[in-house]
Amino acid sequence: MFEDSPLDTDLRWEAGFEGDRRIVVSVLGPYRRIFPRPQRFVRRFYHRVYDLKIEDWQIPLEPLKLGTLCTIEAALSVRFQPTVKYAHANPDHIADLGGYIRANYRTLLQDAAEHELRQLDQAGLDDSNVLMERRIETVVNELLAVRDIQCRAWCTIQTVFADLDKIEEYAENIDSKHNGIYLELIRRRRQLNERLARENYERETNERRLRLEHEKRMLELMQRETELRKARRDHEAEHVRAELTAEETRAAEQYDSEVRLREARIHHETRLKQLELEADLAEKSRRAGALDDVENQLKREIELLALERQRLLLEEEIRDVKIAKAKGWVINAKRRFPLGESQKTLKPQDPGMTPHPDSD
């Protein structure tokens, strides 16, 4: 029922609960038998099966007041489970063993726990609440265990002290049996005041030290920030100088490139103009040669036209001469020959024959 706890040198209570604990009540005529339910249980019509449940139980305890000095408040919780033996001993309440246990042992457990609280003395103030809680838990566990009820109890205790600054005002109302507690509280108040003063001094000292450290860190931070700002400005200036140098280099390269392009363009344009000039000169030479040929041709044509004109004039003169000669011959013929003779003379000639003017 006890086991060693790794957190405490005291023994820990082991309840031994079982989650599937059940009992069987066999009622056949006037006979009744109670036994734990077997693993391979075949239920008959005369069997009744009841669960022995694990239940929680909150037991309120009356606070213990030590005059007007302090109040001790306790809360008790119990987790319990009836055993088969307890069910055998109480067959008439098998259907509700939990309620039967609460009704029968509530006052007993309250009295035992409150009795432990009333045993408080001056030495109890020096003990931690855990020890007092352990004593109450042990008493409750033992009371139920001897009655065949498996359980595990939890007790929590809270001690509420009066205002230590006004404890002298409560001195007249203190019972003589609590005089030791009164003196202990006075001692604790002094210790508390000293501890508070010491803690206050340590806190102020610590705050001053922290403030100085904070100011020192802030100063270091400001110095580091100033250095970083200066380094950033230097870096930015170096970056600007590098950009200016690069820009100047790019501008010089661009200017050189533009100069080379301009020179190449001027050279190209000069070459084109030279070629155009040569082409113009060639064209002009060709045209001049063509004009000379045309002029010569025109001269020849003019000469031919002049010759043709002279020929035509000559032919016209010849024709005129011939016409004049013909007219003169006709006139001479009319003069020499009369008209009748002329007709006679002309008859023997063939028609269409015209005498040549030079026939004479």
Side-chain angles (χ1 to χ4, degrees):
M1 298 176 66
F2 293 93
E3 65 177 2
D4 293 336
S5 172
L7 301 178
D8 197 345
T9 56
D10 295 339
L11 296 178
R12 300 288 295 177
W13 184 269
E14 177 59 33
F17 295 131
E18 295 178 0
D20 57 348
R21 183 181 297 171
R22 294 177 179 83
I23 59 172
V24 180
V25 179
S26 176
V27 180
L28 188 61
Y31 301 100
R32 182 170 63 178
R33 187 168 69 94
I34 300 175
F35 58 92
R37 192 191 70 168
Q39 291 184 354
R40 297 182 179 180
F41 172 68
V42 179
R43 186 171 181 174
R44 306 298 182 184
F45 70 93
Y46 49 84
H47 288 156
R48 297 290 183 272
V49 181
Y50 297 96
D51 292 333
L52 300 181
K53 301 178 182 179
I54 302 173
E55 303 182 34
D56 291 328
W57 186 10
Q58 302 292 331
I59 301 176
L61 300 178
E62 183 179 357
L64 175 62
K65 295 184 178 181
L66 301 178
T68 56
L69 297 177
C70 66
T71 302
I72 298 177
E73 299 176 353
L76 181 62
S77 300
V78 180
R79 181 169 294 167
F80 67 94
Q81 183 181 28
T83 61
V84 177
K85 185 177 180 180
Y86 185 84
H88 273 287
N90 300 276
D92 296 334
H93 304 282
I94 287 179
D96 188 17
L97 288 177
Y100 181 71
I101 291 172
R102 289 186 178 89
N104 280 357
Y105 303 114
R106 177 190 181 94
T107 304
L108 176 64
L109 299 180
Q110 283 180 335
D111 181 71
E114 292 172 357
H115 176 72
E116 289 294 328
L117 288 177
R118 285 191 295 271
Q119 299 302 317
L120 179 67
D121 54 7
Q122 179 179 350
L125 292 175
D126 296 331
D127 296 337
S128 63
N129 290 338
V130 176
L131 298 179
M132 188 183 300
E133 292 168 357
R134 182 63 55 80
R135 287 197 297 269
I136 294 175
E137 292 172 359
T138 302
V139 170
V140 173
N141 289 331
E142 290 176 352
L143 285 175
L144 293 178
V146 297
R147 289 165 176 78
D148 300 320
I149 301 173
Q150 293 176 326
C151 66
R152 180 181 288 114
W154 290 276
C155 181
T156 57
I157 295 177
Q158 182 179 7
T159 303
V160 181
F161 291 97
D163 189 359
L164 297 181
D165 294 334
K166 299 180 180 180
I167 193 171
E168 288 82 359
E169 300 177 4
Y170 306 140
E172 297 178 357
N173 300 325
I174 295 176
D175 193 356
S176 59
K177 65 179 181 179
H178 298 147
N179 189 39
I181 297 177
Y182 169 74
L183 296 176
E184 178 65 20
L185 291 177
I186 293 294
R187 184 181 65 82
R188 288 194 176 189
R189 186 191 65 175
R190 292 174 181 173
Q191 292 179 352
L192 178 62
N193 291 335
E194 292 176 357
R195 181 172 58 83
L196 291 177
R198 185 170 59 255
E199 290 178 354
N200 188 30
Y201 174 76
E202 292 177 354
R203 184 176 63 256
E204 291 179 355
T205 304
N206 189 36
E207 289 178 355
R208 189 180 302 109
R209 180 179 58 82
L210 292 176
R211 186 168 58 253
L212 292 175
E213 291 179 355
H214 177 70
E215 292 177 355
K216 182 180 179 181
R217 285 195 300 270
M218 290 299 296
L219 181 60
E220 293 176 354
L221 182 62
M222 292 176 62
Q223 291 177 353
R224 187 163 59 251
E225 185 177 358
T226 303
E227 293 175 356
L228 290 175
R229 192 179 297 110
K230 182 177 180 299
R232 185 168 59 251
R233 287 198 301 267
D234 294 341
H235 178 71
E236 290 177 354
E238 184 65 25
H239 181 67
V240 170
R241 284 195 296 270
E243 287 185 350
L244 290 176
T245 303
E247 185 67 23
E248 291 176 356
T249 303
R250 286 195 298 271
E253 292 177 353
Q254 184 177 1
Y255 178 76
D256 294 340
S257 177
E258 291 178 355
V259 169
R260 288 193 298 271
L261 290 175
R262 191 178 297 110
E263 290 177 353
R265 186 169 59 252
I266 292 172
H267 179 72
H268 181 67
E269 291 176 355
T270 303
R271 180 61 180 167
L272 289 177
K273 289 181 179 180
Q274 184 178 1
L275 292 176
E276 290 178 357
L277 182 59
E278 292 177 356
D280 290 340
L281 292 176
E283 181 66 20
K284 288 180 179 180
S285 298
R286 185 182 63 78
R287 289 181 180 179
L291 289 175
D292 293 340
D293 294 339
V294 170
E295 185 178 358
N296 295 329
Q297 183 69 23
L298 289 175
K299 288 180 179 180
R300 286 194 298 271
E301 290 180 356
I302 291 171
E303 292 177 354
L304 292 175
L305 289 175
L307 293 175
E308 182 67 21
R309 181 179 179 81
Q310 291 177 1
R311 186 183 65 81
L312 292 175
L313 290 175
L314 183 59
E315 289 179 354
E316 186 177 357
E317 290 178 358
I318 293 172
R319 188 175 61 254
D320 291 340
V321 170
K322 288 181 177 181
I323 292 172
K325 286 181 176 183
K327 287 181 178 181
W329 179 79
V330 172
I331 293 172
N332 291 327
K334 286 180 177 181
R335 288 177 179 178
R336 290 178 65 182
F337 299 100
L339 183 58
E341 294 179 357
S342 175
Q343 291 177 353
K344 291 180 180 180
T345 305
L346 293 174
K347 283 182 181 180
Q349 295 180 354
D350 293 332
M353 294 292 293
T354 302
H356 195 275
D358 296 333
S359 59
D360 293 341

